[in-house]
Amino acid sequence: MNRPTVPLAFDGRPVDGGLYLRIDRWAEHLPAPLRDLVALWSTVGLLLLAVLMLLGWWRARTADGALMARALAVPLVVTLAFAADTLLKSVLREPRPCRVLDAGPTLEACPGAGDWSLPSNHTVIVFAGAAALWQVDRRLGSLGLLLAVAMGLTRVLVGVHYPHDVLLGALVGAAAGHLLGLLSGRAAPLVDRARAGGLRRWLTA
């Protein structure tokens, strides 16, 4: 079946379109419970990241002001990384592979035209969160990294991203999370003042 041509700013098909199609066909033959889990992971992975953020704040209550500042900044870091990713998407304007390739039924409904593919939003978010959490607590950061890798893999398996969308998303998210996480430590004086005031019960053990 021939799909209608779409004006492209960036055409991802020559990069790894063949690999995407092979993965898509392989995903069609996964056991039904595994397909359901893969399709659900986009939501579950984000919820687990939120849990790790809360744990980061909880553990930082016994740490110095810089560490608490980084823990409190993780949601902001993720939001800024998502904003940067959205801007990059609007520049690259790569259509989703499920809209321009003759793939079979995808595990997740294909987003509409104008919902660009590169980089992967979900991958950016979780990699940014993992990189920021790494500077708060190495164990939480490691768990976040596992979530991020799983998120990237499932975004291809559900059929809505090329592999290179996920790779760029991982780079953007990790770089943004690392740099913004480092910068957030400079808010330590603000945290120290807050700890001496009415927010003490939320910022100390």
Side-chain angles (χ1 to χ4, degrees):
M1 180 178 66
N2 293 323
R3 299 293 181 92
T5 57
V6 181
L8 305 177
F10 179 80
D11 186 353
R13 289 174 290 186
V15 180
D16 50 15
L19 176 60
Y20 165 85
L21 288 173
R22 288 194 293 274
I23 293 172
D24 180 71
R25 287 165 188 149
W26 178 77
E28 289 180 31
H29 296 92
L30 291 173
L34 186 54
R35 288 203 306 270
D36 292 341
L37 178 60
V38 167
L40 188 61
W41 185 253
S42 293
T43 300
V44 172
L46 294 178
L47 290 174
L48 290 175
L49 177 63
V51 171
L52 293 181
M53 290 181 190
L54 286 172
L55 287 173
W57 156 73
W58 184 261
R59 292 188 174 188
R61 293 176 310 133
T62 59
D64 60 24
L67 202 64
M68 174 55 84
R70 292 190 184 107
L72 292 174
V74 175
L76 177 60
V77 168
V78 168
T79 301
L80 291 175
F82 172 74
D85 171 61
T86 301
L87 178 61
L88 188 55
K89 274 179 179 284
S90 69
V91 173
L92 296 174
R93 297 175 59 249
E94 178 194 70
R96 300 276 180 168
C98 47
R99 296 195 64 81
V100 295
L101 290 173
D102 293 327
T106 53
L107 301 186
E108 184 176 302
C110 190
D115 189 336
W116 309 116
S117 190
L118 178 68
S120 162
N121 275 337
H122 286 76
T123 308
V124 167
I125 288 170
V126 186
F127 268 93
L133 280 169
W134 180 265
Q135 299 174 57
V136 177
D137 185 289
R138 292 291 189 265
R139 289 186 216 177
L140 295 179
S142 297
L143 289 173
L145 180 59
L146 291 176
L147 293 181
V149 171
M151 180 65 75
L153 291 173
T154 58
R155 296 311 287 164
V156 179
L157 285 172
V158 297
V160 297
H161 282 292
Y162 294 103
H164 69 262
D165 297 339
V166 166
L167 290 175
L168 183 58
L171 289 174
V172 170
H178 178 71
L179 293 175
L180 294 174
L182 284 176
L183 289 173
S184 64
R186 297 185 178 182
L190 295 176
V191 171
D192 291 335
R193 285 199 290 273
R195 279 176 161 174
L199 295 176
R200 177 180 177 81
R201 61 179 294 188
W202 300 103
L203 302 177
T204 59

